[in-house]
């Protein structure tokens, strides 16, 4: 059993890399494609000499993360420019500074995709991978992008223990994705609040009794009519008691493995509006992240300590 673990982890890592590549090539939402490419062509004066990414922004962080951060992230001149989640804008400055303060990031700044930033036990992703006009995706765009998140949750499932959702939009998008990826979401759906905490229990799957290894099935090699090779969803919402499948696509990878539940934390988004007005302070953000890290089995430090070296999983 133990001898197969490295191979299973390598397979999940490879599948996640494939998924990231397919996300970066998605053109499912015409409005978002037009906007991200227009911004990349016109640029902001301060970045006139830079080449913009101008594509969907995949998740960022290790494939065996036990803590996942989910929030609307690809800003027009941030992630859409740099190609990495929460990188190159003030929202990312706040988020990565907080992660660094508690020992879960190698540095407190995130300016470019090649700046050396590493996350320890943490991965960051978004319910919508393209920069939207006015930072407001439509419900249809949110639901069209959902299969990517469902697929990512399936690949992370063998190690995933805790999730922090940034903002009400992310909360509304994440709950249906968790339901499709194999977790039971309470009814009525839990309301978003800063500091909210909800336990999502994994629904039993046919392979749970010793059959689930956590190895992920490869993503389809050719895209179908929706993102991830899956049929696009129609309308908002989604079943809270599905079969562990993503739309009409293949079974969610890793559905028979991983912790029996995940802890879901709510946190105000790290948007400039929230941080400039004081609705979300650095201390508030650190507190939520520290509680989530403890739930995920990640060791943290006090902001005053800041010793050298990465955060480590607790025994």
């Amino acid at each position: 059993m133990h001898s197969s673990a490295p191979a299973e982890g390598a397979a999940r890592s490879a599948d996640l890399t494939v998924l990231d590549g397919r996300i970066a090539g998605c053109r499912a939402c015409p409005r978002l494609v037009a906007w991200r490419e227009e911004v990349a062509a016109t640029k902001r004066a301060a970045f006139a000499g830079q080449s913009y990414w101008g594509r969907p922004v995949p998740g960022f962080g290790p494939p065996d993360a036990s803590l996942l951060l989910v929030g609307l992230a690809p800003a027009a001149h941030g992630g859409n420019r740099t190609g990495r989640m929460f990188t190159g804008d003030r929202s990312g400055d706040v988020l990565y500074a907080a992660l660094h303060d508690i020992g879960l990031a190698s540095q407190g700044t995130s300016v470019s995709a090649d700046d050396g930033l590493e996350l320890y036990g943490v991965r960051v992703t978004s319910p919508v991978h393209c920069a939207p006009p006015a930072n407001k995706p439509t419900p249809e765009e949110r639901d069209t992008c959902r299969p990517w998140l469902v697929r990512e949750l399936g690949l992370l499932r063998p190690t995933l223990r805790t999730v922090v959702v940034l903002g009400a939009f992310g909360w509304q998008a994440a709950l249906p994705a968790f339901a499709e990826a194999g977790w039971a979401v309470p009814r009525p759906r839990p309301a978003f609040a800063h500091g909210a905490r909800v336990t999502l229990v994994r629904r039993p799957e046919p392979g749970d009794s010793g059959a689930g290894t956590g190895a992920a099935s490869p993503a389809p090699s050719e895209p179908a009519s929706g993102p991830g090779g899956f049929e696009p969803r129609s309308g908002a919402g989604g079943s809270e008691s599905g079969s562990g499948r993503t739309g009409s696509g293949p079974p969610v990878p890793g559905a028979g493995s991983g912790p029996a539940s995940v802890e879901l934390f709510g946190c105000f988004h790290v948007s400039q509006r929230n941080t400039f007005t004081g609705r979300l302070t650095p201390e508030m953000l650190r507190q939520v992240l520290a509680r989530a890290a403890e739930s995920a089995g990640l060791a943290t430090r006090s902001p005053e300590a800041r010793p050298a070296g990465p955060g480590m999983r607790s025994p």
Side-chain angles (χ1 to χ4, degrees):
M1 179 175 178
H2 294 289
S3 61
S4 65
E8 293 163 6
R12 286 195 301 273
S13 178
D15 285 342
L16 195 57
T17 298
V18 170
L19 177 67
D20 290 345
R22 298 192 64 199
I23 288 172
C26 183
R27 301 182 66 84
C29 299
R31 188 182 79 112
L32 298 186
V33 171
W35 172 251
R36 76 193 192 208
E37 293 181 354
E38 177 187 346
V39 169
T42 58
K43 305 181 182 181
R44 178 174 285 173
F47 310 122
Q50 298 184 15
S51 296
Y52 274 52
W53 172 257
R55 292 186 279 166
V57 183
F60 169 56
D64 61 347
S66 59
L67 173 58
L68 179 67
L69 308 185
V70 180
L72 196 60
H77 302 281
N80 189 60
R81 172 174 59 90
T82 64
R84 192 171 73 189
M85 288 282 169
F86 286 111
T87 296
D89 60 26
R90 292 184 178 179
S91 295
D93 292 343
V94 172
L95 178 62
Y96 291 119
L99 287 170
H100 180 252
D101 283 345
I102 63 172
L104 299 181
S106 63
Q107 59 194 44
T109 58
S110 180
V111 297
S112 67
D114 59 356
D115 62 6
L117 174 65
E118 293 182 66
L119 302 182
Y120 306 127
V122 180
R123 184 170 171 88
V124 184
T125 194
S126 180
V128 177
H129 288 271
C130 291
N135 289 323
K136 293 181 179 179
T138 67
E140 181 180 4
E141 290 162 350
R142 175 199 65 196
D143 294 344
T144 298
C145 209
R146 184 185 301 157
W148 293 129
L149 180 56
V150 174
R151 186 75 168 175
E152 189 168 11
L153 290 173
L155 289 168
L156 295 173
R157 186 168 181 166
T159 58
L160 186 62
R161 297 173 62 177
T162 307
V163 179
V164 173
V165 182
L166 302 171
F169 181 94
W171 188 268
Q172 293 166 0
L175 290 179
F178 271 97
E180 290 190 31
W183 283 272
V185 175
R187 284 184 176 275
R189 289 184 187 175
F192 171 77
H194 181 80
R197 181 171 182 172
V198 179
T199 300
L200 302 183
V201 177
R202 191 183 73 193
R203 291 192 305 270
E205 297 286 343
D208 275 358
S209 56
T213 66
S217 57
S221 58
E222 295 295 333
S225 54
F230 308 133
E231 291 294 329
R233 297 186 53 81
S234 58
S239 171
E240 309 292 82
S241 58
S243 61
R245 290 180 176 268
T246 311
S248 60
V252 174
S257 64
S261 64
V262 297
E263 293 297 305
L264 198 66
F265 289 79
C267 180
F268 289 141
H269 196 279
V270 289
S271 66
Q272 291 186 48
R273 177 184 299 177
N274 286 341
T275 57
F276 282 4
T277 61
R279 189 184 191 206
L280 178 67
T281 66
E283 177 60 22
M284 291 168 64
L285 178 59
R286 286 195 296 265
Q287 286 177 353
V288 172
L289 292 175
R291 288 198 298 268
E294 180 181 11
S295 169
L298 297 171
T300 59
R301 66 187 183 216
S302 67
E304 295 78 17
R306 299 190 184 183
M312 298 176 65
R313 282 189 176 84
S314 300

